Amino acid sequence: MAFELPALPYAFDALEPHIDARTMEIHHGKHHQAYVTNLNNAIAGTDAEKMSIEDICRTISKYPAAVRNNGGGHFNHSLFWTVMKPGAGGLPSGELGDAINAAFGSFDNFKQQFSNAGITRFGSGWSWLLVSGGKLVVSSTPNQDNPLMDIAEVKGTPVLGLDVWEHAYYLNYQNRRPDYVGAWWNLVNWEEVARRLKAVK
Ligand code: MN3
């Protein structure tokens, strides 16, 4: 079965003022849709058609660049939409909050490390909070790579991801990536991050 664009779990304008409606409309309806379409074209008639996007990512070194770029794009954006929510942000609580404090010393340390990973990523890419070898760590990947991929520098299961491609923020923030990253923390859906962390364990 072909991969499909997942519906956004909120309206295009729901994340304003932090992310504007026009950016969301183009990002979801054009960029993510293109990754899905191009992925389906790239795997047409191959065994990958029967695989999950996660399993494709885990064995990505066996595939051509079109699968790596578009399959990564599909997985990454599918995660990205769910880890944001209108009126969210604040501090993670419960087991997730404890795990972040244990791994990074404090929430502020984590936030700084994760933000820097995105701000200092040259060109396009992502910053991640992931479980790697049983530990919570921060990493960054170029382009549409992700930590599931067998070619990733830091491998593991991502529970939070931030898109720092210019298409994610340019209309509103132009060259001010740090402002976008700073505003994005007001949207983090910690319940979804906690759910993903629990699923890893
Ligand atoms: Mn994007």
Side-chain angles (χ1 to χ4, degrees), residues 1-195:
M1 205 187 92
F3 289 103
E4 285 175 14
L5 181 70
L8 261 194
Y10 35 74
F12 290 129
D13 64 358
L15 305 182
E16 291 193 350
H18 310 296
I19 302 179
D20 63 282
R22 185 77 180 126
T23 295
M24 288 301 294
E25 205 179 330
I26 299 169
H27 200 177
H28 178 262
K30 303 290 184 196
H31 290 279
H32 190 172
Q33 179 64 65
Y35 297 128
V36 171
T37 302
N38 294 336
L39 171 64
N40 286 332
N41 289 339
I43 63 173
T46 73
D47 288 347
E49 278 189 311
K50 297 179 209 86
M51 290 168 66
S52 68
I53 190 59
E54 289 82 3
D55 283 342
I56 292 174
C57 287
R58 288 186 186 105
T59 53
I60 205 69
S61 60
K62 298 199 299 191
Y63 294 94
V67 177
R68 176 171 168 179
N69 293 335
N70 294 292
H74 177 44
F75 174 85
N76 296 351
H77 289 82
S78 299
L79 179 147
F80 187 51
W81 312 132
T82 68
V83 296
M84 298 187 290
K85 202 174 82 166
L91 295 174
S93 58
E95 275 179 43
L96 173 62
D98 293 344
I100 286 176
N101 286 335
F104 301 96
S106 69
F107 178 76
D108 284 345
N109 281 346
F110 156 68
K111 187 174 169 181
Q112 193 177 11
Q113 216 175 302
F114 185 99
S115 297
N116 282 345
I119 291 166
T120 61
R121 162 56 55 195
F122 183 77
S124 298
W126 292 74
S127 52
W128 302 102
L129 174 66
L130 64 142
V131 180
S132 179
K135 288 175 63 179
L136 270 183
V137 298
V138 161
S139 80
S140 164
T141 54
N143 305 313
Q144 294 296 355
D145 288 358
N146 65 55
L148 284 181
M149 292 182 172
D150 58 359
I151 44 85
E153 213 173 294
V154 185
K155 293 179 215 21
T157 306
V159 296
L160 176 65
L162 169 59
D163 187 345
V164 296
W165 282 58
E166 280 188 348
H167 70 221
Y169 62 86
Y170 203 81
L171 293 183
N172 217 13
Y173 297 93
Q174 292 82 47
N175 61 321
R176 304 188 310 278
R177 187 189 287 184
D179 291 355
Y180 157 69
V181 171
W184 176 80
W185 290 101
N186 294 303
L187 300 172
V188 178
N189 179 358
W190 292 116
E191 287 153 34
E192 174 62 13
V193 180
R195 189 194 67 74

